[in-house]
């Protein structure tokens, strides 16, 4: 092995060791400190470290972060983190009940935020879980809530909710409502310049 490669490998190993030492130190602070603001900040840092190196481990810290955020009345922080990790827990860890519980807990605090993205996304995630479970009537209900909660700056997410509601309508046999949603979603996607999803929505109509 060439000297340069040996040096680079050595530096990489040293960096990893230093990072692990820092993470171990952070974990100790999380366990020992009574300062909730400090614990929340460190939980966030550890989550992002593991998100890039060990996503499965990151979820453990995400859940701690969410619980502490709600305890501290940092509602938007807790809701956002629940939304961010929902798909990973559901699809990669295959633990939909665990992901759904985070969303249910977040829903309880929606009246404490005016953030339309967070409000809409909680119901979008809830509807996706309903759909995965085959409960398409509940999915329609929650997609509808997502659509009403999303604001003018959330058009892409509203379009996704409309399209997904159309899919759920199809599963219930409500074909006219399904086509109506596909057409409406296609208009949103067209206005957003998203040709790929515009075509996808129009294929549902055809």
């Amino acid at each position: 092995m060439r000297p340069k490669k040996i040096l680079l490998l050595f530096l990489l190993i040293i960096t990893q060791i230093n990072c692990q030492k820092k993470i171990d130190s952070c974990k100790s602070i999380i366990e020992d400190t009574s300062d909730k603001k400090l614990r929340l900040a460190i939980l966030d840092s550890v989550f992002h470290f593991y998100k890039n190196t060990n996503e499965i481990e990151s979820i453990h810290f995400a859940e701690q972060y969410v619980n502490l955020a709600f305890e501290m009345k940092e509602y938007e922080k807790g809701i956002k983190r629940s939304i961010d990790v929902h798909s990973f827990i559901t699809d990669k860890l295959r633990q939909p009940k665990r992901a759904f519980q985070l969303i249910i807990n977040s829903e309880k605090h929606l009246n404490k935020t005016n953030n339309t993205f967070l409000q809409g996304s909680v119901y979008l995630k809830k509807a996706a879980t309903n759909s995965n479970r085959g409960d398409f009537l509940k999915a329609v209900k929650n997609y509808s809530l997502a659509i009403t909660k999303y604001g003018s700056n959330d058009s892409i997410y509203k379009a996704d909710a409309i399209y997904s509601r159309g899919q759920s309508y199809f599963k219930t046999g409500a074909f006219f409502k399904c086509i109506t949603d596909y057409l409406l979603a296609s208009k949103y996607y067209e206005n957003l310049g998203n040709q790929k999803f515009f075509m996808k929505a129009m294929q549902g109509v055809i």
Side-chain angles (χ1 to χ4, degrees), residues 130-157:
N130 296 146
S131 181
N132 289 337
R133 291 175 175 176
D135 194 341
F136 298 109
L137 290 176
K138 281 187 179 179
V140 165
K141 177 184 175 182
N142 284 305
Y143 281 129
S144 297
L145 283 169
I147 292 162
T148 59
K149 295 293 183 182
Y150 278 131
S152 57
N153 294 324
D154 310 314
S155 295
I156 184 62
Y157 306 106

Side-chain angles (χ1 to χ4, degrees), residues 6 15 41 43 46 68 74 91 96 114 118 139 148 162 169 181:
I6 293 173
T15 301
L43 280 169
V46 174
L68 182 58
E74 295 278 2
D91 300 331
N114 294 318
L118 297 180
T148 59
I162 294 167
Y169 272 135
D181 272 355

Side-chain angles (χ1 to χ4, degrees), residues 170-182:
F170 180 83
K171 293 291 185 178
T172 65
F175 301 119
F176 179 76
K177 289 182 177 179
C178 164
I179 292 172
T180 300
D181 272 355
Y182 283 161

Side-chain angles (χ1 to χ4, degrees), residues 51-177:
K51 188 178 180 183
N52 296 323
T53 59
N54 185 341
E55 283 191 290
I56 294 175
E57 184 70 16
S58 74
I59 299 305
H60 170 68
F61 294 98
E63 289 171 324
Q64 288 187 64
Y65 179 92
V66 169
N67 291 335
L68 182 58
F70 289 154
E71 184 183 327
M72 295 173 61
K73 299 183 180 180
E74 295 278 2
Y75 300 113
E76 291 192 357
K77 290 181 179 179
I79 294 168
K80 186 176 186 306
R81 184 57 47 83
S82 298
I83 292 167
D84 289 345
V85 300
H86 177 272
S87 295
F88 179 79
I89 298 174
T90 300
D91 300 331
K92 298 289 181 67
L93 296 187
R94 298 189 181 278
Q95 296 178 12
K97 288 183 179 179
R98 185 178 179 185
F100 192 60
Q101 191 57 53
L102 283 172
I103 295 301
I104 292 299
N105 291 342
S106 293
E107 184 183 10
K108 295 173 184 176
H109 301 296
L110 285 182
N111 63 338
K112 302 178 182 80
T113 177
N114 294 318
N115 187 308
T116 57
F117 166 75
L118 297 180
Q119 291 176 341
S121 294
V122 164
Y123 289 110
L124 187 70
K125 296 297 185 182
K126 192 175 179 183
T129 301
N130 296 146
S131 181
N132 289 337
R133 291 175 175 176
D135 194 341
F136 298 109
L137 290 176
K138 281 187 179 179
V140 165
K141 177 184 175 182
N142 284 305
Y143 281 129
S144 297
L145 283 169
I147 292 162
T148 59
K149 295 293 183 182
Y150 278 131
S152 57
N153 294 324
D154 310 314
S155 295
I156 184 62
Y157 306 106
K158 182 177 283 193
D160 290 342
I162 294 167
Y163 178 78
S164 296
R165 186 178 66 177
Q167 291 180 310
S168 292
Y169 272 135
F170 180 83
K171 293 291 185 178
T172 65
F175 301 119
F176 179 76
K177 289 182 177 179

